[in-house]
Amino acid sequence: MRLLIIMLFALVCALQYRLWFGPHSVKEYFKHQEELKVHLASNSELEKRNKMLMADVADLQSGLDSIEERSRNELGLIKQDEVFFRLVAQQDKK
């Protein structure tokens, strides 16, 4: 009977060691939980960016106003018979 108790105790110790320090341990579980939180936050940001891009695509497909606005802001294009003024700030001379 004493031998059986010693063997069961040794088995429990071996399983506890594996649980806390071995492969797939509790430590690794918590590390993976932290990595998961980081990836979920990253995915959330990417989903927001994708929604904004989809809204831009829908805007560009639906009408010419957004195309005109984008061409003016990004490319500096002007319409025919429009006058373009560029104001340049003066630099201080020392």
Side-chain angles (χ1 to χ4, degrees), residues 22-76:
H24 309 295
S25 64
V26 174
K27 180 179 161 184
E28 285 185 23
Y29 171 77
F30 287 122
K31 184 178 83 170
H32 289 306
Q33 289 296 321
E34 292 299 319
E35 289 176 3
L36 179 64
K37 288 178 186 176
V38 169
H39 287 297
L40 289 175
S42 173
N43 284 348
S44 175
E45 293 296 320
L46 292 173
E47 284 176 1
K48 288 178 187 176
R49 191 191 84 194
N50 285 346
K51 286 180 183 177
M52 288 177 28
L53 289 174
M54 291 301 288
D56 281 348
V57 168
D59 252 0
L60 290 172
Q61 289 176 344
S62 67
L64 296 176
D65 292 336
S66 59
I67 295 172
E68 180 181 339
E69 178 185 352
R70 185 164 280 199
S71 63
R72 285 177 180 271
N73 291 336
E74 294 178 8
L75 302 174

